[in-house]
Amino acid sequence: MILDNQNMALFVSDDELKEAQGKAVAAMQSLVDDYNNNGDWLGWMSIAADIRPQIDDIEKCASKLRKDSDAVIICGIGGSYLGAYAVITALQGYFDKNKPEILFAGNSLSQDYLIDLCDHVEGRKYSVVCISKSGTTMETAIAFRVLRNKMEDELGMEWAKEHIICITDAEKGALHDIAAMNGYATFEVPNNIGGRYSVLSAVGLLPIAIAGFDIRQLVAGAFDFYRPHRGVEQCEQILNYASMRCLMSQKGKKVENFVCFEPKLKGFSEWWKQLFGESEGKDGKGLFPTSVTYTTDLHSLGQYVQQGDRILFETVLSVEKGNREIEVPKTKDNIDNMNRYSWYTVGYINSVAEKGTVMAHVAGGVPTMRVVIPKINEYHLGQLIYFFELACAVSCKMTGVNPFDQPGVEDYKANIRKFLK
Ligand code: PA5
C-alpha cells in the first residue's frame, strides 16, 4: 500500500508541509504515549496482535453457522456493522450466489425493509448475529426482537439457542443480559474499543468469517502495516496523509471526497465516512467526508467536482489490478467507433479513466491524493483499515478533538424518545 501525494505539491508548499508533518509526528507520539499508559479507547491500536488467541473460536463458530444456514443476518448499526459490510462487499463477487447468503438488518428503521427481509428468509434455515456494544440501540434492538421472535416461532427454541450469536460487552448491557438469559453464544466487543474502530475484533471478524473470507490474512495485513511498539517514524505515509488533510482544512478545502473506481468498494467508502465523520466532526471542526464511485458519478457529480465551488479535495482509493480481465471486442459494423479501443482490457481503460480524471480535477483546482493497493484482497483491506484508523486518530489529535466519542449522535435519539413518550 502506498500513498501517492505528488499532485499535492501544486497546492501546498514545502514549508507548509514540513510544519504540518511536525504537528502530525507530535500527535502520533501523544497517541503512542496514551497507548503505553493504557489510555481509554486505544485497544484498536494493538488489536491485530491481541485478537489472535480468539481467532480459532471465531472460525469455529463461523464454520458451524456456514454449515447449518442458508442465510445469516448480521444485525447492527454504525460501527457495529460497517466494517464487516465494507470487507464482505469488497471481497464478494458482484453476482455471487453464496451459501450462506449474508444479509444485514438493524441499520435503519425501515419497516418495509424489515418485512421484506422476513419474507426473504421465510421457509429457510437462518442464523442471526446481533452486534451492539450498548445493547440499547433502537434500530438494532427492534430488528433483533422481530428476528428473534420469528426464528423462535418458525424454527423453534432449540434452533434459536444455537443460531443466535450476540457480540456485545463482556460484562453488562441489555444484549449481554438477553444472551445470558437465553443461553446464546457470545463474543465480546472489547471495552477499550469503540464501534467504528472495532472491525478487527469479533465485531467484524465473525461476520467476515461467516461470509467465507480469510480473517487471518485480514488481521495479518493490519499487523504488518503498523505495530504500536514500532517507532513513530514507521508511520510516514499515515503522517503525510494526516498532514495533508490538516493543510486542506486550513486552506478552506472543507470536504474530503473519497473516490473509488471499483463499485465493490462502495461499502468501504461507507465505513471510511463513518470513521472520519463521527471521529472528527465535533466542536465546530472537521472535514466533511463524502464519497463517490467513478466513472458512474462522473456522469452526475463530476461536473460539480470539476467546476463547482472549490471546497473539495479528493482521496482516491486506487486498485492496480482486478481479479479477471475482459477485452473490448471488435465488431464488423463499428458503428460506435469503439474498434479503436479493441484489445484494450476494460480494466486498463478504467485505469486510464482514473489517470485522466485525477489530472483533470487537479487542473480544475481539486487537490488529489491516491492511496494505492495492488489488488482487493483480505491482506490489503487489513492494511487499509489500519492505515485509515490511525490516520483518523492522528488527524483528530492534530485538530484537538476527541476521536473516540460521538456526543452529537445523542440529540436525535433524545428527540425520538421524547416523541414516543
Ligand atoms: O462507532 C460507534 O461507536 C457507533 O457508530 C456505534 O457503533 C453505533 O452507534 C452502534 O452502537 P451499539 O454498538 O452500542 O449498538
Side-chain angles (χ1 to χ4, degrees):
M1 203 218 78
I2 55 158
L3 174 73
D4 164 15
N5 59 4
Q6 55 184 350
N7 287 314
M8 302 300 277
L10 295 167
F11 302 92
V12 166
S13 73
D14 283 353
D15 285 349
E16 285 172 327
L17 181 57
K18 250 188 215 133
E19 195 187 327
Q21 280 167 334
K23 282 189 197 150
V25 169
M28 179 71 214
Q29 189 58 61
S30 119
L31 208 56
V32 172
D33 291 346
D34 288 352
Y35 174 83
N36 288 334
N37 292 323
N38 298 321
D40 286 343
W41 301 112
L42 291 169
W44 57 273
M45 287 181 76
S46 56
I47 187 73
D50 301 339
I51 195 68
R52 287 181 173 182
Q54 289 178 45
I55 287 191
D56 280 348
D57 283 350
I58 292 173
E59 285 179 338
K60 214 162 125 198
C61 175
S63 94
K64 177 179 166 47
L65 294 198
R66 275 177 71 72
K67 186 164 68 62
D68 292 355
S69 323
D70 301 320
V72 179
I73 305 168
I74 312 299
C75 192
I77 194 167
S80 288
Y81 93 104
L82 276 169
Y85 179 74
V87 174
I88 293 169
T89 50
L91 294 173
Q92 252 173 8
Y94 282 105
F95 303 102
D96 278 358
K97 286 203 167 67
N98 289 329
K99 185 185 170 295
E101 184 182 13
I102 305 296
L103 300 161
F104 292 90
N107 55 44
S108 77
L109 288 170
S110 166
Q111 175 166 254
D112 283 355
Y113 182 91
L114 204 47
I115 296 169
D116 286 359
L117 176 68
C118 289
D119 290 349
H120 184 69
V121 295
E122 184 87 35
R124 299 163 77 194
K125 299 252 188 259
Y126 54 91
S127 301
V128 173
V129 178
C130 186
I131 309 167
S132 178
K133 191 175 173 84
S134 61
T136 51
T137 303
M138 182 180 265
E139 292 88 339
T140 305
I142 290 176
F144 185 46
R145 277 184 175 223
V146 170
L147 294 168
R148 243 174 92 197
N149 280 354
K150 180 180 169 61
M151 186 188 273
E152 286 171 359
D153 288 351
E154 249 175 42
L155 300 170
M157 298 300 279
E158 268 314 300
W159 173 274
K161 197 171 161 187
E162 283 194 23
H163 296 88
I164 291 178
I165 312 291
C166 299
I167 307 182
T168 188
D169 192 280
E171 281 157 19
K172 58 180 188 315
L175 188 57
H176 167 273
D177 295 349
I178 291 172
M181 208 172 283
N182 292 279
Y184 303 147
T186 56
F187 287 89
E188 94 177 279
V189 185
N191 62 12
N192 58 352
I193 300 184
R196 57 192 174 275
Y197 294 84
S198 68
V199 48
L200 298 173
S201 73
V203 170
L205 296 186
L206 181 65
I208 294 166
I210 293 169
F213 299 113
D214 186 344
I215 55 173
R216 290 174 194 268
Q217 277 300 308
L218 188 79
V219 168
F223 185 78
D224 286 352
F225 194 65
Y226 176 68
R227 292 163 243 179
H229 63 265
R230 285 189 184 179
V232 169
E233 67 280 4
Q234 300 287 335
C235 312
E236 201 186 321
Q237 309 198 69
I238 292 169
L239 298 178
N240 282 341
Y241 176 58
S243 304
M244 288 300 184
R245 298 182 77 252
C246 183
L247 287 169
M248 289 299 99
S249 175
Q250 282 168 19
K251 287 173 185 288
K253 306 284 187 192
K254 295 290 184 189
V255 179
E256 181 173 9
N257 195 23
F258 192 76
V259 179
C260 300
F261 279 77
E262 185 59 58
K264 58 165 70 165
L265 290 172
K266 257 185 197 170
F268 194 87
S269 306
E270 294 304 316
W271 173 83
W272 175 91
K273 280 191 284 195
Q274 191 220 349
L275 177 67
F276 280 91
E278 235 178 25
S279 299
E280 230 180 8
K282 52 195 74 153
D283 304 340
K285 298 179 188 169
L287 295 164
F288 183 76
T290 187
S291 68
V292 288
T293 305
Y294 293 159
T295 60
T296 311
D297 293 333
L298 287 173
H299 296 258
S300 56
L301 293 170
Q303 170 59 37
Y304 187 102
V305 176
Q306 190 67 47
Q307 297 181 330
D309 200 355
R310 303 297 68 196
I311 51 171
L312 291 165
F313 71 100
E314 293 194 314
T315 298
V316 180
L317 174 50
S318 178
V319 183
E320 280 174 337
K321 208 165 162 26
N323 292 335
R324 295 189 293 168
E325 293 189 335
I326 182 170
E327 287 168 353
V328 178
K330 235 183 181 132
T331 62
K332 268 196 192 134
D333 54 47
N334 193 28
I335 293 170
D336 58 9
N337 207 18
M338 289 285 153
N339 274 359
R340 59 193 159 151
Y341 304 131
S342 64
W343 318 129
Y344 281 134
T345 65
V346 177
Y348 178 72
I349 296 176
N350 199 27
S351 70
V352 169
E354 180 183 317
K355 203 166 150 189
T357 304
V358 168
M359 201 187 271
H361 289 182
V362 169
V366 180
T368 302
M369 296 181 264
R370 290 166 66 239
V371 175
V372 188
I373 54 169
K375 62 182 297 202
I376 302 174
N377 62 19
E378 288 91 336
Y379 183 83
H380 295 301
L381 288 172
Q383 283 193 326
L384 286 175
I385 286 167
Y386 203 90
F387 174 90
F388 285 118
E389 284 179 351
L390 202 50
C392 179
V394 170
S395 292
C396 291
K397 285 261 174 191
M398 288 174 82
T399 52
V401 298
N402 179 351
F404 308 121
D405 65 357
Q406 54 281 329
V409 180
E410 294 312 311
D411 295 1
Y412 89 93
K413 293 185 189 169
N415 286 341
I416 294 182
R417 282 194 292 269
K418 198 167 77 193
F419 290 133
L420 289 179
K421 225 171 188 179

